[in-house]
Each structure stands twice: as C-alpha cells, then as structure tokens.
Amino acid sequence: MEKFITHVGTAVPLRRSNVDTDQIIPAVYLKRVTRSGFEDGLFAAWRNDPEFILNKEPYKHGTILVAGADFGTGSSREHAVWALQNYGFKVIISPRFADIFRGNSAKGGLLTIILPQDQVEALWRAIEADPSLPVRVSLEERTVSYGSKTLPFEMDEYTRWRLMEGLDDIGLTLKQTDSIDAFEQARTAVKPATLPIR
Amino acid sequence: MGKTLAEKIWQEHVVRSVAGEPDLIYIDLHLIHEVTSAQAFDGLRLSGRKVRRPELTLATEDHNTPTQNIDLPIADPVSKLQVDTLRNNCAEFGVRIHSLGDIDQGIVHVVGPQLGLTQPGMTIVCGDSHTSTHGAFGALAFGIGTSEVEHVLATQTLPLVRPKTMAINVEGELQPGVTAKDVILAIIAQIGTGGGQGYVLEYRGSAIKALSMEARMTVCNMSIEAGARAGLISPDEKTFEYIKGKPHAPADWDAAVAYWNTLYTDADAKFDVEITLDANALAPFVTWGTNPGQGAPLNGEVPNPALIDDPEERGAAERALVYMDLTAGTPLKNIAIDTVFLGSCTNGRIEDLRSAAAILDGQKIASSLRMLVVPGSARVRLQAEAEGLDKIFMAAGAEWRNAGCSMCLGMNPDQLAPGERSASTSNRNFEGRQGKGGRTHLVSPLVAAATAIRGTLSSPADL
C-alpha cells in the first residue's frame, strides 16, 4: 500500500448527501476479478448527465472529493473504494461516512476525512468560486488547508500510523500468530464447522 | 455493572487487546460469494498464504447467478468468469462451496441458517453488508470489504474497534397485516440511514420476542440500512427450536443450550443509546424515496419536501421525488406498479412465500404488471413446491424462478427497465439499484402480494 503523508490537489464539490455505494459503482460493474479498471463504473449513472460535476473542466481532474453527509452507505463492496482510487481520488471529505466504507478506504489507503457540515459548505463555496484552488491535506499534521484556512481533523493514532507507513494489515496480524494459536486451543468445542459436510 | 449481549460476545472473541490499537477478534464463521472474494483469493496467492481455517469457511453462488435456465452455462461471459473464479479458488484452497444447481445453493444469508451453521454467540462475517441477518440468532454478524475477506481467510481474525451499543425496544403487539418488514422500515424512518453508524443494534421488547425466527432475520437484515454494521436479538427457545435438527446443529446439544442460555443482556447493563417504539401504532410501511429512511405508512401520502426542516434532508427529498417521478401529496395507494419482486435475503424465506401465496391463492395478478417470485435458496424452492406454493404463484400469473439475489441488486439478467417502477420485498431503494433508471418501493411480502393483485401499492386489507 502506498504511504500517505501529504497530498496537494484540486477538489470536487459533490453537493449530495447519502451517496450510496450503488451510486459510486452500480452492481453491473462489479464483475471484474481484478482490482483495477473500475474507474469506468464510477458514478456511472450520474456521469451520463453532461451537467454532472465530474463531466466538467477542471473538476474532472480533481483528486479530493468533497461530499455531503453519509457518504458510502449501503453495500459493503470495496469496489467503491477501488473505483474512486482508480479514477484518481486520494482523499474524500464528508461530515459523516458509513462505517464499512470508511473501513474499506483505510485498508486501501484512500484517506477519509470528517469535517463538520459548516466547514464542508465553506469548502464547497471556495472550490466553486475557484475550481483550481489548491487544497492541501496533511495526515502528518491532521489538517486540511486552502486559501488562508487551516482546518484540523481527527484520525485515531493507529490508523494514521498505518496509513503513513503504508502497512499491510494482514502482515501485522500474522505477527500475532502465537496469540491466534493460543485462542484456538482454548476455543469452545460447541461451535460448528463447515467441514466435514453433514 | 452488567454487560450487553454484544459486549459479551465481543469479549469472548478477543484474541489480543492492546491500548491504542483495535482489538483482534476471532471469527467463527466466514461466508463467501463470487462478487467480493476473487481479489481476496488473488491476494493470498500473491503472498503465498493459505486459508487458515477452511473448515470455518463456506461459499455459495448467489449475487450474479441467473434464476432461469440454470442447467445451461451462464450466458454473460463476465458473470461466468466471476463464478468460475470462485469455483477454482474454492477447489484450490479447500473451501466448501454450494454451486448453482446444488441443493444447498442459495443466498448466503439464507443458506447459513438453514444448514444450522448460524448459531448463538458466534462471530460471523461475509463480504456482504446484509450479514447482519445472522444477528437474529444472537450472533455478532456483520459485513466486510474484500481486504477484510482476505484478512479473515489468512488469519481467521479481524482487527476491529469495539462498537457502541443501541437498544431498540419494540413493545406491544403488531396489528394484523403488520410484519417484521414494516417494523424495520419504521425503525429506519425514525433513526435515519445514519442513525446506527458506529453501533450494534439490539432489538428487544415483547413485539420482537413474538416474532418467528424468519421474521427476526428480516429485522436484523436491514440493520445496515440504519447505518449499523450489526443488529442482534437475544436467543430464546424459538432460536433453539429452529436450530434443532439442522445438519450442523451441535452434537452435544445440552452443552450448546447451556452456553446459549448465557447469551442475554444483563439486567443492569447500560446501552449507549436506547429508543422505544410502540408496536401497536405500527402500520404497513412503504418507501417513497431513494434511501430506505424515506418511508411512510401505506395509508399516507407522498410527503411535501417543503415541510422538511433540515436543509440536507429537504434537498434529498426533492431529488428523490424527481428521480421517483412522484408528486407531493399523492396518496401512496394511487401509485401504479410495473413489477412486483418477491425474494431476497430480507424476504425470500419460506414464511415470506407462504404469506404472499395465502393472499394470491385463487387470485390473478393485475394485467398491467409482472411478478417475479425468487426463493432465497434451492431448499426454500423445494419446500415451497412441496407445499404447492409454486402452483399458486403461477396460477396467479407470477413467474416462479430459481434461487439467488436476483432483482434485489440487478446483477444478473433480472432487472428493471429505465423508468420502470417496482414494489420490492428487498432492502434497498437506491437510484438504479434494481436496474439503471428503475424506481423501487420497498414493501413487505403481504403488501407485495396485494399490490400484485390491485396494480397499485396496496395492503391485504384493501382487497
């Protein structure tokens, strides 16, 4: 996984709440067995509309998506994260994220930042007034900056460390194999098993 | 202080707990399917890793499988590749799979319980957000992404942050014609699609206790639609009775029941949040918008967005009415439907089919619409046929299909056409969920059946 320390890019205002993962990538686009190429399905239905924000210059080249509350609700499909990353997004900002989407993003190195609704609205206005406005996201400082503003955001220490180091969760867990072995030794016998087939 | 049920199950599964890090939680059962597993197996292969506990893993084919002509090769080459990839991965890594045509094939959340693999006190995960269904047995069950699927395959654990707990008390008695589906739709409308974020929901109260196991699964299934990864119900005699005799029911039954009887929220336990609903006041409920929180009693009207105070919600309602092509103030019962879909992991079990068939018996569906009946599993289909339900559906003019997720998410050929409007017993009314441009009203199986007969959104009381 790529390390995330600082990112500077332009931002895209997506003035919608409850952007569910069926909108981020409709189910018919989920049939690939690879992790790449999902950008063609990103917001597929909305991108049919020439007025949709990602069909406009210069927003279509943005790398920071600024969305309304409850971004990523619905299906657990990690393809939603891959579609956003494959398209080129590095950061998503919203007042609130769905739990599974936020967890999936952290696994893949897509940074999700929670800012209060009023700060999101101020950012929307700023990037609508000046679409080429550079927005700087520092995970090291835990800040989003643009123009003269610097906004702090919260991120727990563990997730921040993992993202900044670009660490693979599975590798970290496999270092705890002794603990897993010990847990399995003590595990109750009444729990079912799928094999042998009964 | 006592513990909630969710806290008890969590504590029993902690492999490692260190301050400042997520807990490492052991997973008792990992369910997989074709859509969210391919990249996870590929990751194992690239790292030279194995599946740590194949005997705690089960695969089914459900999301993109066809519900017609299942004896023929899958026509869509991309779907076929995805299903073939799952079969090859299961063969390579030693995972049990129930493929299309197998008697135990079906929607993963219908198959787990019917095999008796879903039991109280377990941790259960699947790369599907409706894994919350299994919470009906008093299991801590939740959906995960593909990276987490790979993590569980490799380690049988997941690093997780302990969720908060919310009690949802449903007290009283449901009126005739009011179902588990109406209960959960009313709960979501009350707490909102984000209201459960960060929480495990525990459904409690006399109305929940009175529900059958299948109805409890309907309630827990849609916990995710309220934003909660998991929802659960304390196990009781009904739970034990349901598991008894299932293929994977515990061999040492008495030991299992003794353990299961410890799985309840202590009287002095404290939830982070507690809400209460009056079961007596609930009515058949349908959605009018494009998220599951946008619902109203069927006797009501399409709401007027101008009367919504919250600006975000008002904007969402305005956009929803445009997408749904609805006018504020229209009685919901005047809305004409093109397709009725009966099925899904929410309402595709035998009791759902029985309740709809009882309404349709001797009736004809309206000539203006089509109705698809898709059993949740191959065994549900066989059971329904043994009871003659298939004949009732077909005599009414409905299509009787093979098991799978089908039109719930429109990944296979069962889709709405652009502009087409459905009354669907599934769980999501998102824009385009059932097919590009399709419009979805979520309903109970009883409302689905009555709607099929009348052609407009209806309850059995309208017949």
Side-chain angles (χ1 to χ4, degrees), chain A residues 174, chain B residues 40-51 92-93 150 154:
Chain A
L174 285 173
Chain B
F41 281 111
D42 215 31
L44 291 186
R45 215 175 277 117
L46 288 171
S47 327
R49 290 167 179 153
K50 293 189 298 193
V51 175
E92 180 181 341
F93 289 92
E150 184 180 340

Side-chain angles (χ1 to χ4, degrees), chain B residues 155-173:
Chain B
T155 71
Q156 204 59 33
T157 65
L158 274 180
L160 293 165
V161 176
R162 182 192 289 249
K164 293 177 284 186
T165 57
M166 183 188 297
I168 298 184
N169 303 301
V170 189
E171 299 289 355
E173 208 176 319

